[in-house]
Amino acid sequence: MSASAPVDGQLNAVRASLKRRHAQERRFQVLGLAAIFAALAMVAVLFGSVLFKGVPAFWQSTLHLEISLNADVIDVGQPPVQKANQNPAEFQAELTDWRRALARVSWNKILENAVRGVLPADLADAKTRDIVGIVASGERYALRDMVLEDPNLIGQTIEVDLLADADVDNWLKGNIDRSLGQSRQQLSTGEQEIADALAEKGVITQSFNSGIFFNVDSRSSPASAGLAGAFMGSLYMMLVVIMLAVPIGVASAIYLEEFAPTNRFTDFIEVNINNLAAVPSIVFGLLGASIFINWMHLPLSAPLVGGLVLTLMTLPTIIIATRGTLRAIPPSIREAALGLGASRTQMVFHHVLPLAIPGILTATIIGVAQALGETAPLLLIGMNAFVASVPASPMDQATALPVQIYLWQGNENFNFFEARTNAAIIVLLGLMISLNAIAILLRQRIERRW
């Protein structure tokens, strides 16, 4: 019995130790799962908040009106037709005069008459300023452009959908506290009454706002502000990043991992690549402003410059991730290729690189997603300028989706632009997810092939 006592003691100690280890493993698993669920909960709260605030911006208060394009009010006649022997310069002058006359038409009066026609009797004496104020200021120009495009509309009565003013949209959506005193309201009493009356009659409804995708930013008419210019600016920048950062980054990674000799020079390069990956993005913006704008004299606020800056910022990420992918390829692949007589170049490009392409695409996804959401470097090269046009090429002035979000977030009409800011975030996330989905599909197709 005395001989077995030490053995029993050792067994009990082992059992106790195993019990403690198993308990620690269970605690670690619980903590790990708790951390994962907490992270997912935070992500769900974030996306839920963005969706909750942003989705209403895709529906906007719209007036459905019958507008009489009275020829007595639009007293400009038909556009001139070039005569057989008329000088082109003279015809162009006549056409310009006709367009100027069309621009001088009292479009506010036309809108006022259309709105008065649907007002209830108790608002028949509403002020002109209040009636015109419920329509977005840019809609009169949209009406003018309709007539400019089709002069045959003059004298007809047409059905038109016009955006309500941004403050009217806030009022009807409940973004403005109606219990506040009139001195603190954004709408006059008359505008409030007209907006409520037209909404009750169904003249003003919440319609899908396609303009947020197809319109450019606007300061004079916030209700019609859209993301078309910023979207195209981001798209051009991503094309520049993909065309430059991906081939240069992948080629650099292949050379450093497969061909470069191990010496102080390559060690120096590797250290600096790792350091560049940790440099704040705003530093790349300063570098881009100094080199691409001040020294190379490239156009300010151009997607080309933004793409070049983001390329510099993305290169270290792509190089490091691609090298990690190349290291993960088993050495036996290289040894087998060299053993069969392949050259080092054939070994890399015929055997190693095809197997590494899925990982390289993953590195590209990481780099492009990082570049797509950057704002700080773009601010330093002037892409926060107000640009009310869609860029036709990477050399034209433009802004980008992250910068547009930044600008709208600081707009003085926060009640209206808060929803638009979150809607722009949804569009940015949609673009990012689309680019990632394309890369993932390509990766899966390549993996199946190999």
Side-chain angles (χ1 to χ4, degrees):
M1 292 295 294
S2 59
S4 62
V7 176
D8 292 338
Q10 291 176 356
L11 290 175
N12 291 333
V14 170
R15 292 192 185 98
S17 175
L18 289 174
K19 187 176 180 180
R20 286 194 302 271
R21 288 169 57 187
H22 292 159
Q24 290 175 351
E25 290 178 358
R26 286 193 295 270
R27 284 196 298 270
F28 180 78
Q29 291 175 353
V30 170
L31 290 174
L33 290 174
I36 292 173
F37 285 124
L40 292 176
M42 293 299 103
V43 172
V45 169
L46 173 63
F47 281 91
S49 175
V50 171
L51 290 173
F52 178 76
K53 295 179 180 179
V55 168
F58 294 104
W59 279 264
Q60 193 162 345
S61 300
T62 305
L63 291 94
H64 310 282
L65 297 173
E66 287 188 355
I67 295 182
S68 177
L69 300 175
N70 196 323
D72 294 335
V73 179
I74 311 178
D75 188 15
V76 296
Q78 289 297 314
V81 178
Q82 188 172 10
K83 303 176 182 63
N85 298 323
Q86 188 178 19
N87 187 297
E90 294 178 355
F91 168 72
Q92 192 63 39
E94 290 183 7
L95 185 60
T96 301
D97 291 339
W98 181 82
R99 290 174 176 172
R100 287 174 180 170
L102 187 66
R104 289 192 296 267
V105 170
S106 180
W107 297 103
N108 281 344
K109 185 65 177 178
I110 294 174
L111 289 175
E112 179 189 353
N113 293 337
V115 176
R116 281 193 186 278
V118 294
L119 285 178
D122 58 335
L123 293 175
D125 296 331
K127 297 178 181 178
T128 298
R129 181 180 60 185
D130 294 336
I131 293 176
V132 175
I134 67 168
V135 183
S137 58
E139 295 303 274
R140 67 199 70 177
Y141 305 114
L143 191 61
R144 179 200 63 190
D145 293 340
M146 289 175 59
V147 176
L148 182 63
E149 184 177 349
D150 185 7
N152 293 325
L153 293 176
I154 298 176
Q156 299 184 21
T157 299
I158 59 174
E159 294 184 358
V160 181
D161 293 339
L162 302 176
L163 291 176
D165 186 73
D167 293 334
V168 173
D169 187 67
N170 281 334
W171 177 261
L172 295 178
K173 286 181 176 178
N175 296 334
I176 298 176
D177 187 358
R178 298 195 176 201
S179 64
L180 295 175
Q182 186 56 41
S183 62
R184 300 175 61 186
Q185 294 290 355
Q186 295 169 305
L187 293 177
S188 67
T189 303
E191 289 173 327
Q192 294 171 11
E193 293 174 351
I194 292 172
D196 288 335
L198 294 183
E200 186 177 352
K201 289 186 65 175
V203 177
I204 298 181
T205 61
Q206 297 297 321
S207 303
F208 182 73
N209 180 23
S210 60
I212 197 170
F213 300 104
F214 302 111
N215 294 346
V216 295
D217 195 13
S218 175
R219 290 178 178 172
S220 60
S221 181
S224 61
L227 295 168
F231 184 87
M232 289 304 299
S234 288
L235 200 59
Y236 281 134
M237 285 194 300
M238 289 306 101
L239 289 175
V240 173
V241 171
I242 291 172
M243 291 175 65
L244 294 179
V246 175
I248 295 174
V250 172
S252 301
I254 291 173
Y255 174 75
L256 290 174
E257 191 64 30
E258 302 292 343
F259 296 100
T262 302
N263 52 38
R264 292 183 179 180
F265 179 69
T266 54
D267 290 342
F268 175 78
I269 292 176
E270 291 179 4
V271 169
N272 279 277
I273 289 173
N274 292 327
N275 289 337
L276 285 174
V279 170
S281 60
I282 197 168
V283 176
F284 291 99
L286 290 170
L287 179 65
S290 175
I291 295 178
F292 300 129
I293 295 177
N294 294 337
W295 184 57
M296 299 178 65
H297 302 292
L298 292 176
L300 186 70
S301 186
L304 175 63
V305 179
L308 291 173
V309 171
L310 295 179
T311 295
L312 294 177
M313 188 192 71
T314 307
L315 273 173
T317 301
I318 294 179
I319 292 174
I320 293 171
T322 301
R323 293 190 67 185
T325 299
L326 293 172
R327 288 196 191 102
I329 302 299
S332 58
I333 301 294
R334 298 175 175 83
E335 295 169 358
L338 294 174
L340 291 174
S343 66
R344 193 169 187 82
T345 302
Q346 290 174 324
M347 178 266 292
V348 171
F349 289 97
H350 294 178
H351 300 278
V352 176
L353 191 58
L355 296 176
I357 286 179
I360 292 173
L361 286 174
T362 301
T364 302
I365 292 172
I366 296 172
V368 172
Q370 178 189 7
L372 184 59
E374 282 295 338
T375 306
L378 302 181
L379 297 178
L380 293 175
I381 60 170
M383 295 198 76
N384 60 329
F386 175 74
V387 181
S389 60
V390 178
S393 72
M395 298 295 289
D396 295 336
Q397 285 192 329
T399 185
L401 285 173
V403 180
Q404 191 67 68
I405 293 169
Y406 168 78
L407 294 175
W408 280 357
Q409 179 64 26
N411 193 282
E412 58 184 8
N413 191 353
F414 183 72
N415 286 343
F416 180 75
F417 277 98
E418 181 184 18
R420 270 219 175 10
T421 300
N422 287 276
I425 294 174
I426 294 173
V427 174
L428 177 61
L429 291 175
L431 178 60
M432 186 180 299
I433 292 171
S434 299
L435 292 174
N436 289 350
I438 293 172
I440 291 172
L441 290 174
L442 290 174
R443 185 180 66 184
Q444 291 178 344
R445 183 166 296 182
I446 292 171
E447 285 177 343
R448 287 196 297 268
R449 180 182 300 176
W450 292 99

